[in-house]
Structures are given as C-alpha cells and as structure tokens.
C-alpha cells in the first residue's frame, strides 16, 4: 500500500512539474507468442535511465511485483539475474521465477534471454537514445507463456505488467534525478 501511495505521489509530481513520462505499449499475439513493442520518453539524462534499468540487486525496491532480484553471476558484458515475484491483474495473479542472461551494451542496449523460468520462452531488448528532452527507450519482447490459460488471457495481463513496470521505473528515474 505504501508503494502505491509513493507511486501516485510521484506521478502527480510528474504532472505538476511538466515531467510526465510518455509510455506507449502494444501487445500482439502471434501463434503461442506475445510480441511486446513499447516506447518510453522520460525527461531524465541517459545515465539515470541506464542506472535504474541495470540496478538488478535493488529492483525489489523499484518494482512492486518482485520479491527477489539478485545478480548471481557475471561474465564479460553479461550478468545473470535471478528474479521471483507475483504479477497481479484484477482477480488474477501469477507467481513467477526466472534466471536471465542479460547482455549489457552500456548506455545503448540491454538484451535479456530467459535461461530458466515459468515462460516457455522470453527474450527482450531495450534500446536507449538521448534526446533534447531526456531519454527515449524502445523495448521489444517475445513471450511464450507456459500454460493454455496464460496464452488465452495473456495479452491484457502482459500489457498491464509492462505498463505498470515502466511507470514504476520512470518514477524511480525521476526520484533519482531530483536527488
């Protein structure tokens, strides 16, 4: 409840100071897969956006659906991240756990590939670009859920999760910029 209140206060401060992030998310179903295409325009420097999106060991404090987020290994430009949590949408909830290899191209790109977890397949790519107004992020993901129920009702669920996660990460970026 406290996180929701803080999130709402941060969103109100975005509007009050003309710093409202623009988050656009589209989800398309293709066969068993859901394709996510999202863009985020956020009025923060690129270095702050990068710092928030790669703060894996502190992600539990940023995203309200996580109960565990931890770097378990590093290898070259890759980090291996274990995450657990519960996603909620209306009356539905979905417990998840995953280990992902996350390939980092500093200040340019983050590529995530699920190695183990609830989904049959998960891959995502986040591209970063600096603009005169801040940072522009382009996110694409392919998710193949692990159950027939998930494949049937997954589109709205995935869209809700992506929108909520990006709103929370944007709020953290704005908070860090203000410090």
């Amino acid at each position: 409840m406290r996180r929701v209140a803080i999130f709402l206060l941060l969103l109100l401060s975005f509007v009050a100071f003309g710093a409202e992030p623009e988050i656009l998310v589209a989800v398309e179903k293709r066969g068993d897969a859901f394709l996510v295409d999202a863009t985020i325009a956020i009025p923060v420097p690129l270095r702050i956006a990068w710092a928030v999106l790669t703060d894996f060991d502190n992600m539990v404090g940023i995203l309200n659906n996580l109960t565990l987020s931890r770097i378990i290994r590093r290898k070259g430009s890759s980090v291996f991240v274990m995450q657990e949590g519960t996603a909620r949408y209306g009356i539905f909830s979905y417990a998840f756990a995953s280990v992902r290899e996350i390939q980092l191209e500093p200040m340019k790109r983050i590529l995530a590939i699920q190695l183990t977890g609830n989904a049959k397949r998960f891959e995502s790519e986040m591209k970063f670009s600096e603009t005169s107004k801040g940072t522009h992020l382009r996110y694409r993901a392919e998710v193949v859920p692990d159950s027939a129920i998930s494949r049937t009702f997954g589109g709205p669920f995935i869209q809700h999760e992506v929108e909520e996660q990006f709103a929370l990460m944007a709020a953290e970026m704005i908070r860090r910029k203000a410090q």
Side-chain angles (χ1 to χ4, degrees):
M1 208 54 170
R2 187 173 143 226
R3 286 184 185 171
V4 172
I6 291 169
F7 172 68
L8 290 174
L9 286 172
L10 284 169
L11 281 180
L12 289 173
S13 69
F14 291 160
V15 175
F17 296 106
E20 187 172 356
E22 182 181 321
I23 301 170
L24 302 171
V25 179
V27 178
E28 173 189 341
K29 187 172 184 193
R30 189 174 297 156
D32 285 348
F34 290 95
L35 306 177
V36 179
D37 191 1
T39 58
I40 302 130
I42 182 85
V44 300
L46 178 61
R47 65 180 169 69
I48 290 175
W50 179 264
V52 169
L53 291 167
T54 58
D55 194 0
F56 304 111
D57 284 334
N58 295 306
M59 202 58 70
V60 169
I62 299 169
L63 299 178
N64 61 9
N65 68 342
L66 289 178
T67 55
L68 172 76
S69 182
R70 178 174 76 226
I71 295 173
I72 56 174
R73 191 171 120 214
R74 295 177 186 272
K75 182 180 177 186
S77 62
S78 292
V79 293
F80 296 79
V81 178
M82 176 187 294
Q83 292 184 327
E84 296 177 2
T86 302
R88 290 179 173 73
Y89 180 64
I91 62 169
F92 299 103
S93 66
Y94 179 77
F96 62 87
S98 70
V99 172
R100 295 179 183 163
E101 177 181 359
I102 303 182
Q103 300 167 10
L104 304 172
E105 243 181 272
M107 307 292 188
K108 293 181 183 173
R109 184 174 92 123
I110 298 172
L111 179 65
I113 301 166
Q114 178 182 282
L115 303 175
T116 65
N118 295 75
K120 283 185 179 178
R121 177 183 155 113
F122 175 89
E123 289 188 16
S124 70
E125 178 183 54
M126 175 79 75
K127 290 185 177 180
F128 295 71
S129 59
E130 202 158 22
T131 69
S132 62
K133 296 180 181 181
T135 301
H136 182 266
L137 305 170
R138 177 72 185 262
Y139 177 78
R140 292 182 180 210
E142 181 176 341
V143 182
V144 178
D146 63 345
S147 70
I149 292 173
S150 298
R151 287 189 296 276
T152 303
F153 299 106
F157 194 90
I158 290 169
Q159 180 153 354
H160 166 76
E161 279 299 296
V162 172
E163 288 171 346
E164 182 178 62
Q165 289 176 18
F166 285 141
L168 290 167
M169 288 186 281
E172 177 65 11
M173 290 173 198
I174 295 293
R175 186 190 71 74
R176 289 187 189 189
K177 179 183 175 188
Q179 286 184 334

